Amino acid sequence: MTAQTPPTETERLPADAAGLDRAAALLGAGGLVAIPTETVYGLAVDAGDDAAVARLYQAKGRPAFNPLIVHVADAEQARALVEMPPDAARLAQAVWPGALTLVLPIRPDAGVSPLVTAGLETLGVRVPAHPVARDLLRRTGPLAAPSANPSGQVSPTTPAHVLAGLSGRIAAVLDGGPCTVGVESTIVGFLPDPVLLRAGGIPAETLEAALGAPLSEAGAEGQPAAPGQLASHYAPRGSLRLNATGAEPGEVLLGFGPVAGDLTLSARGDLVEAAATLFARLHDLNAMAADRIAVAPVPETGLGRAINDRLRRAAAPR
């Protein structure tokens, strides 16, 4: 791959054939392109290009010990990169394309940059459900793509969110409109039994039904085995107080269900709507320059588990 100098202007590409071809050309030249998925916008690079992956870490300010997820067009592309045990194949069959990442042993001939795995012998792979992402992946092959935002900050669910954080630092953003799921993928590893590494856009209950068995949960010690495991992550500029039933003086209240707020995740208490709007509301709070944020309680069931995971990490000491 050829080296690319840092761009001075970020292109905004339409999600048509010409835009997809331009995005593929930029990625083939080692460029960084933000792409739509159903979860959040990802910052994509050629997964086999060491220099491009290094520039991705630099553009995001991401710690080099934090591994990346590789996005593929279908399960066949995934099997060329990783070993897939029966339980993993069962989950892939049930959920892909969709918001599930599987962390699996990487094949010796995968051709993935070692920077992607952060030195681990496993690789996170997923087949996104967004049609624009899959059209692009059929043109490019596997793409490493963490969320398209500065590391530790609020994930982007629109092209405007991407440009607010990375304009001038990446080659382009492929405009596929707002993301529909709104929180990152659920991540499952195998030790060898299935273990939940990160709650996300597919509820754990759905995966347990597909497996016919409960998922165990990983501990928090040591190097991250998957993205989204750092204690402080997804953070807005202001501090967060969780499980608030009202605002204290000087706070902006982010409501849910019966707890009405200055802004709300879902006035009717719908967890799907709350997941889809979570990061957009955190971006809105940044735009309001909210220094202190109170967040209403969200049930710890279904997608609420992923929402609360993001809120706890957003509220963690920085």
Side-chain angles (χ1 to χ4, degrees), residues 128-216:
H130 200 295
V132 174
R134 295 182 73 200
D135 281 352
L136 180 64
L137 287 160
R138 282 188 279 267
R139 287 167 162 83
T140 63
L143 297 173
S147 57
N149 58 285
S151 186
Q153 296 184 20
V154 182
S155 298
T157 56
T158 69
H161 295 162
V162 175
L163 293 169
L166 294 175
S167 182
R169 297 162 66 181
I170 64 175
V173 56
L174 182 60
D175 188 345
C179 301
T180 54
V181 173
V183 292
E184 293 86 351
S185 60
T186 303
I187 303 182
V188 174
F190 298 84
L191 300 174
D193 294 326
V195 56
L196 181 68
L197 298 177
R198 180 179 76 183
I202 300 292
E205 295 89 337
T206 300
L207 303 179
E208 290 171 339
L211 290 168
L215 289 165
S216 59

Side-chain angles (χ1 to χ4, degrees), residues 14-305:
D16 57 15
L20 286 161
D21 288 344
R22 175 62 176 160
L26 289 167
L27 289 160
L32 281 62
V33 178
I35 66 171
T37 77
E38 75 279 21
T39 58
V40 301
Y41 271 75
L43 184 56
V45 294
D46 181 335
D49 187 334
D50 291 328
V53 176
R55 285 193 293 275
L56 183 153
Y57 276 101
Q58 181 181 41
K60 279 180 61 72
R62 184 184 179 94
F65 59 78
N66 199 6
L68 306 175
I69 292 170
V70 170
H71 293 63
V72 292
D74 49 41
E76 183 179 356
Q77 276 193 8
R79 289 179 187 276
L81 303 178
V82 293
E83 303 284 350
M84 193 173 290
D87 278 340
R90 192 171 295 115
L91 289 179
Q93 176 67 29
V95 175
W96 279 354
L100 172 67
T101 294
L102 301 176
V103 177
L104 298 165
I106 189 169
R107 292 184 180 275
D109 59 350
V112 171
S113 169
L115 294 172
V116 169
T117 63
L120 301 174
E121 295 181 354
T122 54
L123 177 68
V125 293
R126 97 169 177 99
V127 180
H130 200 295
V132 174
R134 295 182 73 200
D135 281 352
L136 180 64
L137 287 160
R138 282 188 279 267
R139 287 167 162 83
T140 63
L143 297 173
S147 57
N149 58 285
S151 186
Q153 296 184 20
V154 182
S155 298
T157 56
T158 69
H161 295 162
V162 175
L163 293 169
L166 294 175
S167 182
R169 297 162 66 181
I170 64 175
V173 56
L174 182 60
D175 188 345
C179 301
T180 54
V181 173
V183 292
E184 293 86 351
S185 60
T186 303
I187 303 182
V188 174
F190 298 84
L191 300 174
D193 294 326
V195 56
L196 181 68
L197 298 177
R198 180 179 76 183
I202 300 292
E205 295 89 337
T206 300
L207 303 179
E208 290 171 339
L211 290 168
L215 289 165
S216 59
E217 294 200 31
E221 298 82 9
Q223 176 182 353
Q229 292 187 304
L230 298 179
S232 177
H233 205 49
Y234 314 109
R237 296 188 181 95
S239 61
L240 270 68
R241 181 172 66 88
L242 304 183
N243 298 312
T245 56
E248 296 178 353
E251 288 184 331
V252 175
L253 179 60
L254 179 60
F256 176 80
V259 179
D262 303 280
L263 301 173
T264 186
L265 294 171
S266 172
R268 62 179 187 268
D270 184 328
L271 290 172
V272 173
E273 180 183 19
T277 59
L278 172 62
F279 290 136
R281 295 295 82 78
L282 294 180
H283 280 285
D284 291 341
L285 289 162
N286 279 345
M288 294 167 63
D291 292 326
R292 297 172 58 212
I293 303 160
V295 184
V298 176
E300 190 78 20
T301 58
L303 285 176
R305 193 171 180 179

